[in-house]
Amino acid sequence: MRLSPLAALVLSAAAPRAALATAGASSSSSTAAAFRAASAIGLPAAAFAVPSSNLSRTGGGSRSRSASSASRAMSTSSADDADKAALLSCPTVALRDGTPHPSIGFGTYKVGFIPASASSATAAGGSTDAVQRTAEECVSDALDVGYRFLECAQFYGNESEVGKAISKSGIRREELFLCSKVWTTTIERGPAAIRAQLERTLADLGTEYLDLYLIHWPVPGHHVEAYKTLEGLVSEGKIKNIGVSNYAVEDYQELKDAGIAILPAVNQIEINPFLHRKNTIEFFQKEGVVLQSYRSLRDGKAFEDPALKSIAEAHDKSPAQILGRWCVQKGYVYTPKSVKKERMIENAKVFDFELTEEEMVTLDNLTDDGAYETFQALYRKCVNRDTSKDGTMDGVKMEITAD
């Protein structure tokens, strides 16, 4: 007897994280176990009556429109439980040491707080965002929806609010994956400032350790020393894994040439079909570096792209869900963010369908030359951002691998 997709999701959500890969299993005993798991969390048995045409979360192809309509007709409480189960049982990506990194997380940039220099990091026209809700409110919603990987940073200016949400959630620390980044100003000030900032981040988030700590930008003349400081903090048990963010191939090579002892586990860079730097991505993947994607949804600015809309319509999905599915299907860590709970739920619905090979190729090739030029200009502006060299090209690598 084939286990229905919803039953599989609930069963996997009730199981330990190490056993999540069993979500697609089938047998009468598995079905019975799923019913018991459903009962344990209050999910009605009727929710398991999923049309036979509906695909399992690991199956290929898209859902039929009739199956999608039937799913939408499910009771609200059942749908919420199924969505949360899917997030709690999301696939993971192994870091260098075998640590399972959730394939989806909640980004906290501009959530409840907009950094003073945020507009200088935008490629065109500056920031027009406005604070709508507190970070505590938004992160509380994200945790309630089922997100367990929280992407944080010193620069975001809201880690204490994130910590309040974590504390109020009652979620055990071992169920969370917490990542933060140290900002350029602290990197420039040196090791003592970095250590002090880590202590503040730990206090703000209400934790004794971080699962992942990143160098936010490769600040010229300082990022290598900063990274070596993180290595020492790993040995002290305050950080489980370390990595980098916004590093070009050349920045990574500079680290390696400096004789670092721990290779970066992660590089967090902008990745979406409209900035798909294939050579850079291939390089880091060959180096064993997991790629975290930010601006996975391109801030919603590409939702009207004809190719993207066509693929979304074919799957009865939103453009955001297509971008998210592309990201996880490529093996990148997907970190959407929203201040609206309904969007948090929508953005996470990327595990119940697959894009075809042809669709993936179409999305892979939406980046034009102008995107590479914009990226390179942004890189040059931001590596010294907010430091004493802000606004200058002092120490900036003028020739990097842009694509």
Side-chain angles (χ1 to χ4, degrees):
M1 178 177 178
R2 185 176 178 80
L3 183 62
S4 75
L6 179 54
L9 288 175
V10 174
L11 178 59
S12 62
R17 176 162 293 210
L20 296 180
T22 64
S26 63
S27 71
S28 58
S29 60
S30 294
T31 303
F35 273 97
R36 290 194 297 272
S39 177
I41 67 171
L43 182 62
F48 285 81
V50 179
S52 60
S53 58
N54 207 357
L55 297 170
S56 73
R57 66 189 286 266
T58 55
S62 65
R63 298 184 302 172
S64 69
R65 289 185 181 270
S66 61
S68 178
S69 298
S71 176
R72 285 196 297 269
M74 188 185 300
S75 72
T76 301
S77 61
S78 297
D80 287 348
D81 285 333
D83 295 336
K84 187 168 185 175
L87 256 181
L88 291 172
S89 65
C90 74
T92 60
V93 180
L95 300 182
R96 290 186 186 277
D97 65 348
T99 297
H101 187 313
S103 62
I104 182 172
F106 182 72
T108 61
Y109 180 46
K110 294 185 181 179
V111 171
F113 178 82
I114 300 176
S117 66
S119 61
S120 69
T122 59
S127 174
T128 59
D129 297 332
V131 173
Q132 300 176 43
R133 305 173 66 211
T134 68
E136 180 183 344
E137 291 171 332
C138 296
V139 174
S140 292
D141 280 349
L143 292 172
D144 184 59
V145 166
Y147 290 90
R148 292 297 180 263
F149 160 39
L150 299 179
E151 187 270 325
C152 310
Q154 173 191 353
F155 177 64
Y156 299 172
N158 57 9
E159 289 188 326
S160 63
E161 290 289 301
V162 174
K164 291 176 184 177
I166 292 172
S167 177
K168 290 182 178 180
S169 74
I171 297 169
R172 295 180 300 174
R173 175 63 182 89
E174 59 267 27
E175 295 178 22
L176 298 172
F177 189 97
L178 300 181
C179 169
S180 185
K181 304 192 288 283
V182 59
W183 186 237
T184 58
T185 51
T186 302
I187 292 168
E188 184 180 38
R189 291 200 301 270
I194 293 169
R195 285 178 169 273
Q197 177 56 45
L198 174 62
E199 292 300 330
R200 179 175 177 179
T201 288
L202 293 175
D204 284 347
L205 294 177
T207 182
E208 295 181 352
Y209 68 93
L210 292 177
D211 296 282
L212 183 64
Y213 203 35
L214 310 179
I215 302 294
H216 206 141
W217 282 95
V219 180
H222 300 282
H223 76 97
V224 172
E225 180 184 44
Y227 188 86
K228 290 183 176 181
T229 301
L230 299 195
E231 289 182 320
L233 292 167
V234 170
S235 65
E236 295 171 23
K238 295 182 178 182
I239 307 170
K240 300 297 184 183
N241 274 281
I242 56 177
V244 296
S245 178
N246 297 302
Y247 270 51
V249 169
E250 292 74 14
D251 298 314
Y252 178 87
Q253 291 175 327
E254 183 183 0
L255 270 186
K256 288 185 69 176
D257 292 345
I260 57 174
I262 304 173
L263 292 174
V266 162
N267 186 12
Q268 184 188 98
I269 60 176
E270 179 179 347
I271 307 178
N272 55 63
F274 302 90
L275 184 60
H276 192 212
R277 298 163 56 209
K278 297 177 184 178
N279 288 329
T280 293
I281 289 168
E282 182 180 359
F283 170 85
F284 281 106
Q285 288 178 328
K286 286 182 177 178
E287 286 286 318
V289 178
V290 169
L291 293 164
Q292 280 185 359
S293 162
Y294 71 78
R295 290 193 83 218
S296 307
L297 303 181
R298 207 168 177 265
D299 302 334
K301 295 174 182 176
F303 287 173
E304 295 302 314
D305 178 82
L308 177 60
K309 287 181 68 176
S310 176
I311 295 172
E313 290 169 1
H315 289 271
D316 196 19
K317 292 287 185 177
S318 69
Q321 290 165 335
I322 298 302
L323 291 176
R325 179 64 208 181
W326 175 86
C327 198
V328 298
Q329 204 161 314
K330 297 290 287 188
Y332 315 138
V333 175
Y334 167 47
T335 53
K337 71 100 176 174
S338 178
V339 298
K340 298 178 179 179
K341 190 171 186 179
E342 61 269 24
R343 292 286 177 83
M344 297 176 195
I345 295 170
E346 175 191 334
N347 292 341
K349 292 182 179 180
V350 297
F351 301 111
D352 60 348
F353 73 106
E354 284 189 11
L355 299 171
T356 67
E357 183 176 350
E358 181 180 0
E359 290 167 340
M360 290 295 286
V361 170
T362 296
L363 294 169
D364 286 353
N365 290 287
L366 292 179
T367 304
D368 58 29
D369 290 341
Y372 299 129
E373 294 170 4
T374 298
F375 156 73
Q376 192 156 3
L378 190 62
Y379 169 90
R380 291 172 181 173
K381 177 185 291 186
C382 287
V383 291
N384 277 328
R385 183 176 167 196
D386 288 347
T387 71
S388 63
K389 308 293 185 181
D390 195 357
T392 76
M393 294 294 109
D394 193 352
V396 177
K397 297 179 178 68
M398 301 305 290
E399 298 296 329
I400 61 170
T401 304
D403 65 351

